[in-house]
Amino acid sequence: MQKLIGEDVLYHGMPKYQTLEESDIFLSLGQHVDVYFPTRKRSRVTAPFVFSEPIFKKQKTTIDVLPDECLFEILRRVSGGQEKSSCASVSKRWLMLLSTIHRNEQKEAQEYDRSGGSITRCLKGKKATDVRLAAIGVGSNNRGGLGELAILGNNSSKVTDFGLMTIARGCPSLTSLTLWNLSSIKDDGVTEIANECRLLEKVELSHCPGISDKSLIAIANNCPNLTSLSIESCANIGNEGLQAIGKSCPRLKSISIKNCPLVGDQGVVSLVTSASSSLMKLRLQGLTVSDMSLAVIGHYGLALTDLELNGLNTVTGKGFWVMGSGQGLQKLKSIVIANCNGVTDLGLEALGRGCPNLKQVSVQKSAFLSDNGVVAFAKVTQSVETVNLEECHAVTQLGIFGLLVNCSTLKALSLTKCLGIKDLPMVIPSGLSPCNSLTSLSVRNCSGFGNFSLGLMGQLCHNLEDIVLTGLHGITDSGLTSLIKNCESGLTKVNLSGCVNLTDKIVSEISMVHGATLEVLHLDGCRSITDASVVTVARNCFSLRELDVSKSAITDFSVAALACSEQVNLQVLSISGCQVSNKSLPFLKKLGETLIGLNMTQCRGVTSSAVGLLGEQIWKCDILV
């Protein structure tokens, strides 16, 4: 035994372990080994050698044995975006460590474009996780820097403040941040982004109950370039945060605040007064504000072009009157007022007089606006082109025709669910000037709108190009005929969906009178429309691009007629719920040369295998089945 050991220690008179490191292993074997090194070349072992199994076991040399602190120090010395991306792909541990490295902690900080990044990322639902955010934070700088980030969460989303912090550390070029439906997000994540991403221009927060005024204050203190702020259903955001934004962000151009119970006059007033020279778009919905807010808007909204007020139940008629009389809305072009009981005749008239550049007006669900207010508005407004009235039940036929007669600039009129309109016979005074400026008429689900009303429209409006008459059970062929014949400019779009009492006669008349200009024809739900209508359309409407005959009485014959017409080049065809069969497939294939959209839902006569074959033949067309 001693001989073997001696031979292991000595080799041709030289010690095997020639360095201190090598001898350390040998000398650390413990008390069982006695090693003597005399000045001579030979050594003597006076005790038995006990072999220990770990000495001959291969040592584990992977870098993963290092603690996080050591690996962190290594990774922060990695320079270059490509190298960092390569390291991040090694393991989830490496990725998360890289995402915690602040720019100030990097050995060589990578420069970024101070005008904003070029990459856009959107995470939805279960794909919204901290790991994905970490990957974006680490890898985006290698490809131009992250510019826009949207996180659209739901119940399966797993985004926390840690994920937002990884974006803050790795994406200083961020200019747009959108957070939706993220109950797990608190102020810490948003505050960190505000501290590090000082190029932010757009912030949108929706249904984030954990975010409070603290986040808005951080944004105000660090992001002076903010131009757009949207807040919806954030229960802990109130006046303090909005006041900070108003004080420190003078470049605001767009503000939207919806359903935030803590927001009141103080927050709205601060925003409007501080950004009076830059604020162009303002939307307030479901807030507990008073007439004071509207008065401030009317006085300080010097740059406003678009204004929407929705569900402001605590505002009275005085507030709307003061807003219109404030002389500050000189640049206002569009106003939408919905679910506000304070809208009265005097308020609408004041808006018409005080907004000389107003082009679009929409009033929805107003119980107190009547014919007097509509007519008074028409007389004082100078440039309005579009009027939309929805569920304004106090407005009758007199108000509608008073608007047409007195507003010489009106181009588009839309009426939706105005149940106060009754189909009464009226006589238009002789010498009354027609409304030649009106080119678009839309009447939807106004049950009292019938043949008499259509006849009056035909007498007053001679230049209509776009007609939408949907859900009107009271109109028939005779009532629509006068309107069709008096449209001198030529109709381009006609939508008669849901008008169940119309027949082939009126479709034939439309196609013969306006076939040269007609581009869109919708007859969805017109049960009395048959193949005869489609035949006349195929024969006369050479400019037709879109045809909808869903839930009508057409058959395979109509499809064949369209396919055999050499002049018609349809792009969109809807035959949903019609009595067509597999016999139509060869003709649909022919139409597929120009079709980009085909709706065949609820066509029970067409088999699924036939539809599959058709899809292969006209693969450029989107088919709904």
Side-chain angles (χ1 to χ4, degrees):
M1 182 68 177
Q2 290 180 354
K3 181 178 179 181
L4 291 173
I5 295 174
E7 291 176 354
D8 186 46
V9 175
L10 298 178
Y11 181 74
H12 295 294
M14 296 293 293
K16 183 176 181 180
Y17 302 102
Q18 300 181 22
T19 64
L20 180 61
E21 289 79 3
E22 291 175 331
S23 63
D24 282 344
I25 299 177
F26 191 80
L27 296 175
S28 62
L29 295 177
Q31 299 178 354
H32 297 285
V33 180
D34 181 14
V35 182
Y36 172 66
F37 291 98
T39 56
R40 298 178 303 166
K41 293 183 179 181
R42 294 185 62 84
S43 300
R44 178 173 60 88
V45 179
T46 60
F49 190 93
V50 179
F51 291 96
S52 179
E53 182 179 355
I55 296 300
F56 295 94
K57 187 176 181 181
K58 186 176 180 180
Q59 297 289 324
K60 187 177 181 181
T61 59
T62 176
I63 195 174
D64 284 333
V65 300
L66 294 175
D68 287 350
E69 294 78 6
C70 295
L71 190 55
F72 178 91
E73 290 296 325
I74 295 173
L75 294 176
R76 79 182 184 92
R77 286 166 169 77
V78 176
S79 60
Q82 185 63 45
E83 289 77 8
K84 289 181 180 178
S85 296
S86 299
C87 292
S89 63
V90 171
S91 67
K92 180 179 177 180
R93 180 192 178 202
W94 283 39
L95 169 62
M96 302 312 285
L97 280 174
L98 278 167
S99 67
T100 61
I101 300 175
H102 193 276
R103 284 183 55 83
N104 297 333
E105 296 173 325
Q106 296 177 3
K107 196 67 175 179
E108 296 181 6
Q110 188 176 357
E111 286 297 322
Y112 65 95
D113 189 350
R114 297 186 181 275
S115 63
S118 58
I119 299 176
T120 299
R121 291 289 180 265
C122 180
L123 303 182
K124 298 181 180 180
K126 63 181 181 180
K127 293 183 178 180
T129 63
D130 288 345
V131 174
R132 287 182 179 269
L133 289 175
I136 293 173
V138 172
S140 60
N141 280 336
N142 185 39
R143 296 183 296 275
L146 183 66
E148 299 180 11
L149 174 64
I151 307 175
L152 313 181
N154 56 23
N155 294 332
S156 61
S157 302
K158 298 179 180 179
V159 174
T160 66
D161 287 330
F162 178 83
L164 293 184
M165 289 179 181
T166 62
I167 295 296
R169 298 185 190 103
C171 305
S173 59
L174 189 68
T175 59
S176 175
L177 176 66
T178 299
L179 304 177
W180 283 10
N181 297 325
L182 297 172
S183 58
S184 57
I185 293 294
K186 309 299 179 184
D187 287 322
D188 293 342
V190 179
T191 300
E192 187 73 10
I193 286 184
N195 292 336
E196 302 297 333
C197 306
R198 303 198 172 197
L199 300 179
L200 271 180
E201 298 177 359
K202 178 183 177 181
V203 174
E204 186 172 353
L205 308 174
S206 177
H207 293 84
C208 297
I211 296 178
S212 70
D213 288 330
K214 181 180 178 181
S215 293
L216 290 190
I217 293 173
I219 293 172
N221 292 337
N222 296 284
C223 306
N225 295 327
L226 190 69
T227 59
S228 177
L229 176 65
S230 178
I231 305 171
E232 179 179 358
S233 300
C234 294
N236 289 313
I237 290 180
N239 294 325
E240 185 180 358
L242 296 180
Q243 287 175 319
I245 293 289
K247 181 179 179 181
S248 303
C249 302
R251 301 181 182 179
L252 277 172
K253 294 181 179 180
S254 176
I255 297 174
S256 176
I257 308 173
K258 298 171 58 178
N259 304 322
C260 295
L262 297 183
V263 174
D265 288 326
Q266 293 179 347
V268 174
V269 168
S270 177
L271 287 173
V272 174
T273 54
S274 300
S276 61
S277 61
S278 63
L279 185 60
M280 300 175 65
K281 296 182 179 181
L282 176 63
R283 181 180 186 182
L284 305 177
Q285 177 175 331
L287 306 181
T288 308
V289 296
S290 67
D291 295 340
M292 179 186 297
S293 291
L294 267 61
V296 170
I297 292 172
H299 186 75
Y300 289 96
L302 304 178
L304 275 179
T305 59
D306 297 85
L307 175 63
E308 181 175 345
L309 307 172
N310 192 335
L312 306 184
N313 296 323
T314 52
V315 174
T316 68
K318 181 180 179 181
F320 284 97
W321 182 86
V322 173
M323 182 176 69
S325 304
Q327 300 300 314
L329 300 177
Q330 299 294 307
K331 295 183 179 180
L332 191 67
K333 295 182 178 180
S334 173
I335 184 170
V336 177
I337 306 173
N339 296 291
C340 296
N341 292 328
V343 181
T344 61
D345 295 341
L346 291 177
L348 187 62
E349 181 182 1
L351 286 171
R353 183 180 290 109
C355 307
N357 292 301
L358 194 62
K359 302 293 184 184
Q360 299 177 352
V361 175
S362 178
V363 182
Q364 304 168 15
K365 299 182 179 181
S366 173
F368 300 105
L369 180 64
S370 69
D371 294 336
N372 293 331
V374 173
V375 174
F377 171 81
K379 290 180 178 180
V380 298
T381 186
Q382 301 177 27
S383 58
V384 70
E385 297 178 353
T386 302
V387 173
N388 173 38
L389 301 177
E390 180 177 347
E391 294 189 40
C392 297
H393 303 312
V395 176
T396 70
Q397 191 183 56
L398 290 173
I400 299 304
F401 290 102
L403 174 64
L404 293 175
V405 170
N406 292 284
C407 187
S408 60
T409 59
L410 188 64
K411 294 182 178 180
L413 173 62
S414 177
L415 307 172
T416 304
K417 297 181 181 179
C418 293
L419 304 183
I421 299 177
K422 304 299 180 183
D423 196 40
L424 302 175
M426 290 179 58
V427 178
I428 297 179
S430 59
L432 192 65
S433 300
C435 184
N436 290 327
S437 61
L438 194 72
T439 59
S440 176
L441 173 66
S442 174
V443 183
R444 301 175 184 269
N445 300 312
C446 297
S447 57
F449 197 95
N451 289 338
F452 285 118
S453 300
L454 284 177
L456 292 173
M457 287 287 182
Q459 296 180 48
L460 289 175
C461 309
H462 298 160
N463 292 319
L464 286 174
E465 298 176 0
D466 184 355
I467 296 178
V468 178
L469 305 172
T470 62
L472 304 181
H473 298 175
I475 66 173
T476 62
D477 294 346
S478 60
L480 194 54
T481 297
S482 61
L483 181 64
I484 297 300
K485 289 184 176 180
N486 287 314
C487 295
E488 300 173 357
S489 298
L491 292 173
T492 59
K493 298 180 181 179
V494 175
N495 186 348
L496 303 174
S497 299
C499 297
V500 295
N501 292 316
L502 298 180
T503 69
D504 293 330
K505 180 181 178 180
I506 194 62
V507 177
S508 176
E509 191 166 347
I510 293 172
S511 64
M512 288 189 292
V513 176
H514 301 283
T517 58
L518 192 64
E519 298 177 1
V520 177
L521 178 60
H522 286 191
L523 302 168
D524 181 13
C526 297
R527 298 189 294 262
S528 298
I529 299 300
T530 68
D531 293 331
S533 291
V534 179
V535 169
T536 58
V537 167
R539 184 180 302 159
N540 299 295
C541 302
F542 304 145
S543 301
L544 196 65
R545 297 290 178 267
E546 184 175 332
L547 176 63
D548 186 350
V549 286
S550 300
K551 296 185 286 292
S552 66
I554 68 131
T555 65
D556 295 327
F557 189 81
S558 291
V559 181
L562 291 171
C564 294
S565 175
E566 297 181 357
Q567 292 85 2
V568 175
N569 294 307
L570 281 178
Q571 295 181 352
V572 178
L573 174 63
S574 180
I575 53 176
S576 173
C578 294
Q579 297 177 359
V580 295
S581 66
N582 288 348
K583 296 179 180 180
S584 295
L585 295 183
F587 302 106
L588 289 173
K589 178 183 176 181
K590 178 67 169 58
L591 290 170
E593 296 176 0
T594 59
L595 283 179
I596 59 175
L598 175 61
N599 185 357
M600 298 179 62
T601 57
Q602 299 180 352
C603 292
R604 297 180 176 86
V606 181
T607 62
S608 58
S609 59
V611 172
L613 179 61
L614 179 65
E616 295 176 359
Q617 295 172 337
I618 56 172
W619 55 272
K620 293 182 179 180
C621 176
D622 292 330
I623 303 178
L624 295 179
V625 292

